[in-house]
Amino acid sequence: MKRYLLLFHLILLSTLLLRAQQTPLSENYFMDSYSLSPSYAGQVNPGLLVAGYRSDWSGIAGGPKTLTITYNDLLPVVNNAGIGGKIIYDRAGIFTQLYVMSSYSYKVKVADDHFIMFGLSAGIYHNTINLTEYYNDPGYLIDPSLVNLDVKSKIKFMSDFSVAYNWKNLNAGFLFSNISFGDASYKEVELKYNPLSNFRFHASYKHDFSEEWSVVPLVIIRGGKYVRSQFEAAAQVIWTGRVWGSLAFRDPGIFGIGLGGRIIRGLCLGYNFNLSSNVALNAFNSHEISLGIDIKEFIRQK
């Protein structure tokens, strides 16, 4: 009885923390449009494989670490259709989340140069509480049977739905993510939970100053159930389509800078860095590195 009572309190704590979290954050949207919206699967940069690693709160032990892998391409058997897939593994302290999702998109021409893209994703969600990390204080005495116990959730079905609009160099879209039906539960205890539903709006426009220089301003609004809405503004400057840099601001008081470029044909590398102006320097910094491979172009290069 004591064992289950303790587990109940721990999982209740995890539920409260999950309510304060959004889907793991990434600032790799300039390289990987599919990560911004399932509507872009196969419609923008088809054939792109992207692997990314993000470390948040680098000055804090147990800060969030996120590994992301995405791929999207055109669907050869259906005109104007695309497919995509993503795996997101996120760990923050004693909590671990895993998303495995696949996507389908379809583009409709509504007028000259005006298109609407619909996106739908479906997959699974799973989370774990690692009690070994929680009880790592040698001065804390507890039942040894709990020290090596991980509390794992049952697999839960998840889905995303998105709509995006494109007119020449203008893109805008809305995403509803973490859509789920009914409650899920943990294997070890009788407790129900429901992952957070989130929304995200974005709009961007690419302006070509010359044949060599372009700029892409972007705005994003994030929010969701039990999640405070957040505004982000960013801009990317591109030179010859091979080298780029970006600046970003995300409330409350978070500033970011990004650099990237094409290493060789079909292979590009990007890096993003965040710092918070509201806390001590080096306390809540974030680092994200991403590697993008255009599969078909890379094979032709080889």
Side-chain angles (χ1 to χ4, degrees), residues 105-159:
S105 71
Y106 190 78
K107 181 169 67 175
V108 178
K109 183 178 180 179
V110 294
D112 289 342
D113 297 324
H114 294 266
F115 299 91
I116 294 179
M117 294 166 283
F118 300 92
L120 179 65
S121 296
I124 60 173
Y125 171 82
H126 180 264
N127 73 61
T128 302
I129 304 173
N130 187 335
L131 297 184
T132 304
E133 296 290 336
Y134 189 77
Y135 297 118
N136 61 0
D137 183 357
Y140 190 89
L141 301 177
I142 194 167
D143 185 350
S145 65
L146 295 180
V147 173
N148 295 316
L149 177 65
D150 287 350
V151 182
K152 299 180 180 180
S153 72
K154 295 181 180 179
I155 299 297
K156 182 166 179 61
F157 171 80
M158 302 289 288
S159 62

Side-chain angles (χ1 to χ4, degrees), residues 241-262:
R242 297 183 59 85
V243 180
W244 56 83
S246 63
L247 294 174
F249 169 78
R250 184 171 66 253
D251 71 85
I254 299 173
F255 296 89
I257 185 172
L259 296 171
R262 295 185 180 275

Side-chain angles (χ1 to χ4, degrees), residues 9 23 29 81 114 134 138 175 178 230 266 273 287:
H9 283 93
T23 301
Y29 32 68
H114 294 266
Y134 189 77
L175 164 70
N178 287 7
Q230 188 178 60
F273 172 76
H287 306 267

Side-chain angles (χ1 to χ4, degrees), residues 17 39 42 48 51 70 73 76 85 93 119 125 145 169 174 178 183 206 210 236 245 267 276 279 293:
L17 289 176
S39 296
L48 184 65
T70 71
D73 206 345
Y125 171 82
S145 65
N169 291 332
F174 205 90
N178 287 7
D183 292 326
K206 182 181 179 182
S210 66
Q236 182 187 53
L267 186 65
S276 176
V279 296
I293 305 175

